[in-house]
């Protein structure tokens, strides 16, 4: 990964009902990220370790929410594609998406088709 990537954690697209879902409950999480080293000031090796750590934390958070059933509250879970992505798009996005979703689900199949474009 290059230090120019930006981290973007998404439960779904910005117009989704999950965007900013219970955002106020994440104040402690935001504070924990603020206490981490400033990623923009790190050397390449440290940057990569910090980037990986943050990405894994976000993936774990989405998995925990999924395990609690958040993404199946008002629709079948397989109609939701849970994502943690980086921008610009990278193959790690697909790896994470496959860990967070059933590959055969309609939502995941639609996302994979779009990601392949």
């Amino acid at each position: 990964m290059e230090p120019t990537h930006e981290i973007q954690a998404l439960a779904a697209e910005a117009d989704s009902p999950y965007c900013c879902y219970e955002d106020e409950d994440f104040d402690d999480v935001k504070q924990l990220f603020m206490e981490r080293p400033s990623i923009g000031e790190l050397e390449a090796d440290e940057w990569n370790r910090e980037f990986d750590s943050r990405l894994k934390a976000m993936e774990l958070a989405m998995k925990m929410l999924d395990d609690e059933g958040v993404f199946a509250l008002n629709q079948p879970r397989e109609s939701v594609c849970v994502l943690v992505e980086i921008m610009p798009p990278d193959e790690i996005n697909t790896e994470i998406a496959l860990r967070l979703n059933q590959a055969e689900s309609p939502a995941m199949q639609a996302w994979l088709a779009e990601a392949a474009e």
Side-chain angles (χ1 to χ4, degrees):
M1 302 279 159
E2 293 296 319
T4 56
H5 282 94
E6 293 179 32
I7 298 175
Q8 184 178 38
L10 299 174
E13 295 295 326
D15 59 353
S16 151
Y18 296 109
C19 181
C20 303
Y21 176 78
E22 296 191 13
D23 193 44
E24 64 279 359
D25 292 338
F26 288 91
D27 289 342
D28 291 342
V29 175
K30 291 174 189 173
Q31 182 60 39
L32 289 171
F33 273 104
M34 295 302 294
E35 293 172 5
R36 307 274 315 159
S38 175
I39 198 164
E41 298 173 6
L42 299 175
E43 297 296 325
D45 286 345
E46 292 176 49
W47 187 97
N48 285 326
R49 281 191 295 278
E50 185 64 20
F51 180 86
D52 289 342
S53 175
R54 292 177 185 211
L55 201 57
K56 287 176 184 169
M58 288 183 274
E59 181 179 348
L60 178 59
M62 292 297 105
K63 181 176 180 346
M64 291 170 68
L65 290 170
D66 195 18
D67 290 348
E68 290 178 18
V70 169
F71 303 115
L73 287 175
N74 297 311
Q75 69 283 308
R77 169 59 178 90
E78 48 284 339
S79 69
V80 177
C81 188
V82 179
L83 303 170
V84 172
E85 299 182 292
I86 62 170
M87 299 305 267
D90 187 272
E91 66 187 44
I92 190 75
N93 294 349
T94 301
E95 295 167 12
I96 294 170
L98 288 168
R99 287 194 295 267
L100 291 174
N101 301 279
Q102 295 293 323
E104 64 279 356
S105 76
M108 185 62 185
Q109 286 299 307
W111 184 86
L112 287 169
E114 185 176 323
E117 293 178 359

